[in-house]
Amino acid sequence: MNNFITTATPMRISLVGGGSDLKQFYKRYGGGAVISAAIDKYVYIIINKYHNKNKCLLKYSKTELVKNINNIKHPLIKSCLKKIKLWGLDINAVADIPAGTGLGSSSSFTVGLINALCHYKKIVLNKTSLAEHACSVEIDILKLPIGKQDQYAASFGGLNLINFKSNGSTSVEGIKKKGVANFLKKNLLIINTGLRKNNKLILSDQIKNIKNDRIAIEHLKFMRDSVYEFKSSLIGRDIKKCGEILHENWIRKKSLAKGVSNYNIDEMYKDSLKCGALGGKILGAGGRGYLMLISDQSSRKKLMKRFKKFEFLDFNFDNFGSRKLY
């Protein structure tokens, strides 16, 4: 058994279709679909054998030294250790970008931890199994109000169209046509709003509305179906159409739950459209984090000047997914 394992797991940007990856939707309304892309901002998990086999030392934003698995305060670590059946470890987690910014870091953490624990135990998992293990921990065991796209984005890496079928299975279709990812990156601007908060209330409200609100269901159906048009437009290098689709998705997404947007985000988005942005959205569930904009090159400088007081995310796409570092 190896004593020292490190994994790197990418965070992601979600483009279109978000919300249709919730099981309350895709199991009842003919499936879901999203387009998302893994980026080169990572959650790193380092695990080693702890000198006392009866204890675990856990280091993340806090430090825990525990004698019993049920005393672990971090729910993801506790559930992953129970699932993989390991103890007596020193586990350290660090990330390129803090949690609460809409880049799927919690699922990246879960995928990376499961990947590290399985490598430590010499369990071989393919990318689908790794994603499903993470979904099991977050959705089935911990009952978190989230969908499945983040776990798959973190496990697979790349720019993908992910289908969530009504029978519960998931397929990942890489968008690999030459030059498409680079074309997309050149026409994206991602701005840190500086807002950070927990998104569980937004997601819980969205799930409640899926069960009770016919209009919310119709919006999600539209957002799911627009995924395929977005893919065709992206491959066809029609950035204007991509922007229009993203804009319409954002307008509809704001109606799905309270808190998806707020005054500051709305004002930033209005300003971006005045400066030539073709469309945009807040990454993740909403109400916080990064504002992603689609813009052609002619408007890029104007947008960067308008938001010069903000931090822009410098990124590339990740094509590997969660992996062990040697």
Side-chain angles (χ1 to χ4, degrees), residues 22-56:
L22 292 162
K23 66 180 180 181
Q24 290 82 359
F25 177 82
Y26 66 75
K27 286 194 172 184
R28 294 178 63 189
Y29 300 106
V34 303
I35 292 177
S36 68
I39 60 173
D40 62 345
K41 305 302 174 190
Y42 299 98
V43 175
Y44 301 92
I45 304 291
I46 305 103
I47 66 175
N48 199 3
K49 184 178 180 180
Y50 192 54
H51 63 79
N52 186 333
K53 67 179 181 180
N54 297 314
K55 295 181 180 180
C56 271

Side-chain angles (χ1 to χ4, degrees), residues 42-95:
Y42 299 98
V43 175
Y44 301 92
I45 304 291
I46 305 103
I47 66 175
N48 199 3
K49 184 178 180 180
Y50 192 54
H51 63 79
N52 186 333
K53 67 179 181 180
N54 297 314
K55 295 181 180 180
C56 271
L57 177 62
L58 315 174
K59 292 167 283 187
Y60 46 102
S61 58
K62 299 177 181 178
T63 299
E64 298 186 53
L65 180 60
V66 289
K67 297 179 181 179
N68 187 296
I69 196 167
N70 292 318
N71 293 334
I72 295 176
K73 295 179 181 178
H74 195 298
L76 293 174
I77 296 177
K78 180 195 291 185
S79 298
C80 288
L81 285 172
K82 283 185 174 181
K83 187 173 186 65
I84 309 301
K85 296 180 173 60
L86 274 171
W87 193 248
L89 298 177
D90 180 340
I91 300 176
N92 191 15
V94 293

